[in-house]
Amino acid sequence: MLLTFRRTRTEFLLLLFVCTISWTCQTVTAILPTAELVIYVTEPDGTVSRIPFLASQANFGTGLSQEESPSSEYNSLKVITDSLLCMNATTTTTSQEFQDSIVLVPRGECTYQHKAYIAQQMGAKGIVIYNTLASRYSLNTTTTNNEEHTANDILFPQPFYDYDCPLGSAEIPSSEIQFNPDFTYDAQHNDPLLTGDNDRNLCKVHSPNKLANCPSKRCLLTNYTTSSTTATTTKACCAWDLHLWLYGDDSNLEVQIPAVFVTMEQGFLLKELSLSHQELSATLKARWKPTYNPSSFLVWLLGVTVAAVAAWQSAGDYHVGICKLLAKRQSTQSNNDSSQEDESSSSNEPLARRNPMQEETVELEPIHAVGFIAMASTSLFILFYFKIYNFVKVFYAFGCSNAVVQVLIYPSLQRILVKLGKKERTLYNSQEFGKISNWHAVSAILAYAWGMGWLYMALFVRRPDSYLFYWVTQDVFGACMCIVFLSIIELNSIQVATILLIVAFFYDIFFVFITPYLFKGESIMVTVATSGGPPKKDPLWCEKYPSDQDCQGGDPLPMLFAIPRLFDYQGGSSLLGLGDIVLPGLLLSFAARFDAAKALVGISSGGHQQQGAAVIEGNTGNRGAAFLRSVPRGPYFFPLVIAYAVGLMMANVAVYVMEMGQPALLYLVPCTLGTMSYLGWKRGDLRALWEGPKVLQLADSIVYGTPPHHQRSNNPPQHIPMESMVSQRGGEDGIERVPATTVSGMEAADDESGPLLASPTTKSLD
C-alpha cells in the first residue's frame, strides 16, 4: 500500500515531467509528392528506358496503386500545348480524342477539377497538370467588360506566394517584354526570355548575382516599373516552382480518372522528351511505402525491452541476495565441517547494501497517486498556456545526464578501470551526497558533455530528430531515465498501482479526446507534445519559409522514444512516450520484486536446496528455470511482461487502423492491471497483493538486515533477527500470531506451490 521513492526530491520532480506526456504526432512541413509519373522511352536499339517523375496527387479522382502496371496496360503520353482544357463542361461531348492516353496540360484559367473532367470526357485515362509562368497572370474581370481592359486590369503574381525577390531579382527593359493586345500575358514570347540557366534568360543577364540563389532559374514579372530618361524597366523576381496540392472545386463534376501535378521544370522536361521521341508510354502510380513500417515494430520492441529490463533491475538486490545464498549453501555443502551455528552466524551479515547517496525513505499513501496525476495535469496546463517548452528540454537534458551517469557511464567506466588495475579515490564525502570519487567526476563530465551536445541541437537546430546523434541520444537517455525511475519508485501493493493506473487511464483519455471539445478544437495533449501544435501556416508556405514564426512548432518534446520511419519517403518517426513505460512499469517492477522476494525467502528458509546446489554446480545449466521453480505458485513478472507487450502492440495496431495517434495507456492499463488481478485471484494472492505482501518486508530483512516498515537513515544497516518477526495465522481477528525462527533456523515445508515459511501448515508467504 506504499509507494516508495529514493534519492533526491529534485530528481523525483523531474520524473513527474517525464510521465506527463505520452502522445505522438507527425507534422507536415512541405507538400510531398505522393505519386509517380513513369515514362517509358524506346531507344533506337530497342531498349526501353524508365524515367520516373515525382508528382503531387489530387484530392479528387481515383486513387493510385503502389503496384506498377504491366507493359500491356501502359498508356501513351499526349502533350497538349494549344489548349488549357477549360471548355464549357456542360457542352463538351464525350469523344475518343485522348483514348487510352495520359494527357499533359498546362495550369491556368480554370480549376484543376474542371481540366480533369474535360480530359475524362475526351477519353483520357489520367491527367498531368504542370505549372507555368503564364498561369500566375490574369485579368480583373469584375470591374470592366472584356472589350474595355487596360493595363491596370492585369493581375500580377503575388510576392512571397508566387515569387521571392530576395532570392534573385533583375530590372528588365520593359521593351523586351510584351503582353497581347487584350492585355493577357504572352507566354510564347516571354517565357523563353525568363527561363533557364543561360544567357537567353534576361532575368539572369540583368540580375546582380546571376540568379545564383534562385532554385527555379525562372522569373515572374512584377507590377513595379522604374522610368528614367533613357528607358523604362520592369522588376522581375525569382519564381517559386514547387509541388502543389490539387484541391477540388465546388462543382458537381465527377472525376473518375487520376490527376497529378508536376513542376515547371518537370513539365519542360516532359515536353522535351515528347519532341525527341515519336511516342512515349506512361503510367501513374503511388509512391511505395511499407504498409506497416518496421520502425513501429522497433519502437514496440524497445519499449517492451526497456520496461522489462528496468522492472527486473529494480529487484536487483533481491537477485544478488539469491545468488549469495545459493553460493553460501553450495560452499557449506562442499565443506561438511561447517556447522548450522556457523551458517546462522554468517547469515547476520547483510547480503546487499543500499546506495549511500539515497536519502530517507518516503512512503506515499494512495492519495499521493492522485496527487501525482494532478501535478502532471498542472504541468500540462502550464506548458499549454505559458509555452515554456525549452525549459522542459533543459530540465530533461540535465536530469537524463544524471541518469546516464548512474546507469551507463559510471558502471562501464568502473569495469574498464578495474580491469586496468586502476584504483578509485575519494574526492569528496558528505552526509548529503555520500562519497564522490574521481571516477564519479569523470563520469559526470562525460555524461553532461553528452547531454549539453544534445541540448544544443534541441534548442537551436531545426528538425533535430532527423539527425542520428539526436534521436539515438534521446533513446539512450530515455532508457536510462526509465531504469532510474523504477529504481527510485517502488510499489509495495497493487492498491496504489490500481489508483495510479486507473487515474492515468482517464487522464490520457481526457487530455487527448475530451479537451478538443473544451478548447475550440485544440487538444492540450497534442499541442504540448508537439511544442505548441502543428505550424499555423500551410505546408507550401512553410516549405518556402521554414524559419517563419508561424511555421514553428510540431517538434515533439523529448520525453519519448523515437525511431525514424524506415523506407518511408514521408519521413517522420515512430514514437513512444516514456510515461507509457514507467507507469505500467511500476506494476511490472512490483511483480519482479514480489517474485524475487518469494524466491529469496524460500531459499533462505531451506527450500529447494537440491535445485539451488544443482545450479551452482552447473548440473542444470539453467539458472532461470531454477529461479522459476523457487517461486511459489508461479511467477507474476513474466506474464505481466507478456501482457504489457500485447497491450503496446494493440496500441500500435490501433494507430494504423484508426490512422491517428493513440493514448497507449488506453490499452496498457487493462492488459497489465487486469492480468495482475486475474493471476492474484486465481492463485489466492489477491488480498495479500492488495494490502501489501509481508514477504517483501522479510526479503528486505534478509538482504539489508533492516526491520519491516523501516525508515531508511544514514546509519549503517543493522541485522534484525527474525525472532522479532511473527507469522500471522488465526487469532481473534482471524489471524493467529506464531513466533518465527531465525532465517537459518526456519522450518521449511514444501507443497505443490514451493517452499513455505514458518511451519508446514502455513499456506502462503503473503
Side-chain angles (χ1 to χ4, degrees), residues 171-174 222-235:
E171 295 290 339
I172 300 175
S174 300
T222 71
N223 59 346
Y224 300 107
T225 59
T226 303
S227 299
S228 65
T229 56
T230 57
T232 300
T233 60
T234 299
K235 188 174 184 178

Side-chain angles (χ1 to χ4, degrees), residues 598 601-608 630-633 698 727 746-766:
K598 289 192 293 184
V601 175
I603 293 173
S604 69
S605 64
H608 293 278
S630 68
V631 179
R633 297 196 180 98
L698 298 179
S727 295
M746 285 183 184
E747 298 179 24
D750 290 358
D751 65 3
E752 68 279 5
S753 301
L756 301 178
L757 182 64
S759 74
T761 58
T762 306
K763 294 301 182 183
S764 173
L765 287 173
D766 308 326

Side-chain angles (χ1 to χ4, degrees), residues 65-66 102 162 281-282 362 478 714 740 760:
S65 171
Q66 293 185 10
I102 294 176
D162 298 316
S281 298
V362 178
N714 294 318

Side-chain angles (χ1 to χ4, degrees), residues 405 409 413 417 427 437-448:
V405 171
I409 296 185
L413 189 66
L417 294 179
L427 301 179
S437 69
N438 55 336
W439 295 357
H440 284 113
V442 172
S443 301
I445 292 172
L446 294 175
Y448 280 92

Side-chain angles (χ1 to χ4, degrees), residues 453-499:
W454 177 89
L455 180 61
Y456 174 83
M457 294 189 68
L459 295 178
F460 302 109
V461 176
R462 178 173 171 78
R463 304 298 174 201
D465 52 347
S466 61
Y467 294 89
L468 178 67
F469 169 81
Y470 183 86
W471 66 264
V472 168
T473 296
Q474 181 170 303
D475 289 350
V476 173
F477 278 18
C480 292
M481 180 58 73
C482 290
I483 292 173
V484 170
F485 186 98
L486 294 183
S487 70
I488 291 174
I489 301 179
E490 296 177 352
L491 291 175
N492 291 331
S493 75
I494 65 170
Q495 182 180 1
V496 177
T498 301
I499 297 172

